[in-house]
């Protein structure tokens, strides 16, 4: 214990954590718990053990485990989206470079991460039984697909909207499949090979002859 100049002990300082900090700590503990124990092993007790807090603190900030898992799903989705938008912003003004940066970010940290895959699998396992998780999944996937569509049309304004939508779905599905396989077993193909496959598809979509109608 530190002593003041006059010899009296200084009272210990206590820094009270904000509600946001505590909520975020619980969310991060939930993500780790989901990754390591799966949805079935993620309970109040398990989450609190990861976070090093009491069960009372969890129920103070969240209405149970389901609400905390939902908040964690949204948080993970927001972090992935932020990483991809950062890549787009750093790519500069060229639309084709921005599209490629968005695609490439899926295969770079922090998005390409086996631990993240384990967390996503837990979320996916709840998709059919938890309506709130299903709605968040639809929102997350829909937002990513719409962003891909916007970037495609910026890079190739001649692409009609219906065609851009289908192309965005196709490229997103290709990214998801290759990302999943790389996280499960990276010995099948390399990240560079995955990007090469997607780049070939992207180039085909951007250069495919169109009828010249932009606003369809």
């Amino acid at each position: 214990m530190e002593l003041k100049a006059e010899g009296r002990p200084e009272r210990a300082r206590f820094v009270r954590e904000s509600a946001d900090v505590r909520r975020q700590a619980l969310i991060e503990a939930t993500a780790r718990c989901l990754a390591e124990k799966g949805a079935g092993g993620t309970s109040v007790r398990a989450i609190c053990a990861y976070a090093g807090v009491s069960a009372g603190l969890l129920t103070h900030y969240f209405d149970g485990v389901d609400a905390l898992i939902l908040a964690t799903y949204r948080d993970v989705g927001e972090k992935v989206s932020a990483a991809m938008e950062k890549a787009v912003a750093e790519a500069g003004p060229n639309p084709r470079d921005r599209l490629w940066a968005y695609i490439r970010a899926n295969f770079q940290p922090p998005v390409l991460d086996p631990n993240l895959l384990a967390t996503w699998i837990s979320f996916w396992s709840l998709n059919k039984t938890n309506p709130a998780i299903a709605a968040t999944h639809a929102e997350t996937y829909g937002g990513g697909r719409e962003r891909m569509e916007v970037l495609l049309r910026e890079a190739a304004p001649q692409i009609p909207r219906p065609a851009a939508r289908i192309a965005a779905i196709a490229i997103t599905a290709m990214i998801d499949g290759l990302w999943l396989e790389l996280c499960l077993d990276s010995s099948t193909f390399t990240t560079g090979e995955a990007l090469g496959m997607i780049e070939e598809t992207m180039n085909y979509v951007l250069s495919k002859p169109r009828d010249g109608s932009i606003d369809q």
Side-chain angles (χ1 to χ4, degrees):
M1 184 176 293
E2 295 181 3
L3 297 178
K4 290 186 176 180
E6 61 272 24
R8 288 179 298 170
E10 183 178 9
R11 183 175 297 175
R13 296 183 178 89
F14 175 72
V15 179
R16 191 177 189 84
E17 291 180 319
S18 70
D20 287 344
V21 169
R22 291 188 174 186
R23 284 175 60 88
Q24 188 60 37
L26 287 167
I27 285 171
E28 290 173 1
T30 303
R32 293 197 303 272
C33 192
L34 286 167
E36 295 182 16
K37 295 179 177 291
T42 299
S43 62
V44 171
R45 181 187 296 273
I47 293 169
C48 290
Y50 274 83
V53 299
S54 68
L57 188 67
L58 187 153
T59 55
H60 175 75
Y61 289 107
F62 295 95
D63 294 329
V65 173
D66 286 349
L68 181 48
I69 290 175
L70 180 60
T72 304
Y73 195 174
R74 288 173 176 160
D75 183 74
V76 170
E78 288 169 2
K79 286 177 178 176
V80 168
S81 178
M84 296 177 69
E85 288 303 324
K86 181 174 182 290
V88 171
E90 292 175 347
N94 184 279
R96 194 183 190 103
D97 291 344
R98 288 165 59 83
L99 170 61
W100 182 237
Y102 187 79
I103 292 172
R104 193 175 60 243
N106 287 276
F107 297 93
Q108 297 174 333
V111 183
L112 185 65
D113 181 357
N115 291 325
L116 180 59
L117 169 63
T119 305
W120 279 126
I121 288 174
S122 294
F123 293 141
W124 295 335
S125 72
L126 297 169
N127 194 58
K128 295 297 184 183
T129 59
N130 187 317
I133 289 289
T136 299
H137 170 75
E139 180 183 347
T140 301
Y141 172 80
R145 194 268 302 162
E146 289 172 5
R147 185 66 171 124
M148 178 75 75
E149 182 179 339
V150 168
L151 290 167
L152 278 168
R153 284 180 55 80
E154 288 176 351
Q158 76 277 9
I159 301 179
R161 284 192 174 88
R165 173 181 169 273
I166 294 300
I169 292 171
I171 293 175
T172 299
M174 189 175 186
I175 289 169
D176 287 347
L178 292 170
W179 180 89
L180 179 60
E181 185 59 33
L182 279 171
C183 287
L184 289 172
D185 180 9
S186 60
S187 66
T188 306
F189 53 86
T190 67
T191 299
E193 288 172 328
L195 288 170
M197 293 181 238
I198 299 171
E199 185 176 22
E200 184 175 353
T201 302
M202 181 193 77
N203 290 337
Y204 170 77
V205 169
L206 296 180
S207 62
K208 181 181 178 181
R210 306 288 177 179
D211 62 9
S213 177
I214 296 178
D215 296 324
Q216 291 183 22

